Amino acid sequence: MATIMMSSVLTTGCTTSGPLPAAAPGSVAATTTYRIGAGDKFRLNVFNEPALSGQEYSVNTEGEASLPLIGLVKVDGMTPREAEAEITKRYAAGFINNPRVNIDISQYRPFYILGEVKQPGQYPFATGLTVLSAVAIAQGYTYRADQKRVFVRHGDKSSEESVPLAADTPVLPGDTIRIPERFF
């Protein structure tokens, strides 16, 4: 599987998969790779091993996936390519001769939106998601919403950061978005 490349804002330190809109105006963008995390699901394919191929596996809260024959494999924080290498190494250790493994992320962890939106909650992540489209998914702003800034906490961070609300502000898997109340 070819690792999917995309843009991500450097100041956040987070990564995701799939094409994302350009970074917010004035921010620095970098090319990075998606990192697997708890809540993701992936499809495993092992060449010439139909019994091991085509199944979907979930990454548990410990960052592990339970795979046939080899048991729990720690994949948290790995790129899909790194996870393929680890799974290949484990299958080659006495289970399969010359295994060729491919994984494909089939479901990303959800994002969360709260604050001044009509339907706060947890929603499935979609490639190319922006803060504005996340607000639309949450049924729009309340009448008290500040439509000029947003607070975002990326899944791997412990604190949120205030960012100007722009049409191309990206949302990453596991992000928590908070729309604040405006000051009158």
Side-chain angles (χ1 to χ4, degrees):
M1 178 185 107
T3 303
I4 302 170
M5 304 304 284
M6 85 322 285
S7 294
S8 175
V9 178
L10 262 184
T11 56
T12 65
C14 288
T15 58
T16 189
S17 179
L20 285 178
S27 65
V28 180
T31 302
T32 55
T33 315
Y34 183 73
R35 300 262 173 206
I36 299 170
D40 285 337
K41 291 183 180 180
F42 64 88
R43 190 168 317 283
L44 176 71
N45 289 300
V46 182
F47 183 70
N48 275 345
E49 297 293 337
L52 300 176
S53 296
Q55 298 298 317
E56 188 173 82
Y57 299 95
S58 297
V59 180
N60 66 21
T61 56
E62 301 297 317
E64 301 169 323
S66 180
L67 302 176
L69 300 176
I70 58 176
L72 291 173
V73 178
K74 182 84 165 173
V75 293
D76 185 47
M78 292 182 174
T79 66
R81 177 85 65 207
E82 291 167 343
E84 287 173 2
E86 178 63 24
I87 294 166
T88 298
K89 182 177 86 174
R90 298 275 298 268
Y91 276 129
F95 295 102
I96 300 171
N97 290 328
N98 193 25
R100 287 183 273 171
V101 174
N102 177 311
I103 66 168
D104 181 34
I105 306 297
S106 55
Q107 182 179 330
Y108 298 99
R109 51 196 174 273
F111 74 94
Y112 306 88
I113 187 165
L114 52 101
E116 297 301 323
V117 291
K118 293 180 182 173
Q119 294 287 317
Q122 171 184 313
Y123 294 96
F125 177 81
T127 303
L129 191 68
T130 65
V131 171
L132 288 181
S133 56
V135 168
I137 290 169
Q139 305 299 310
Y141 298 108
T142 66
Y143 71 93
R144 294 183 304 255
D146 181 349
Q147 296 181 29
K148 294 183 178 156
R149 67 187 168 109
V150 62
F151 293 94
V152 178
R153 184 182 66 77
H154 296 291
D156 62 346
K157 302 291 181 187
S158 60
S159 62
E160 64 185 13
E161 63 180 82
S162 175
V163 295
L165 188 55
D168 58 356
T169 304
V171 174
L172 307 174
D175 280 1
T176 299
I177 303 161
R178 183 171 61 87
I179 305 296
E181 185 175 358
R182 65 184 155 92
F183 295 109
F184 296 94

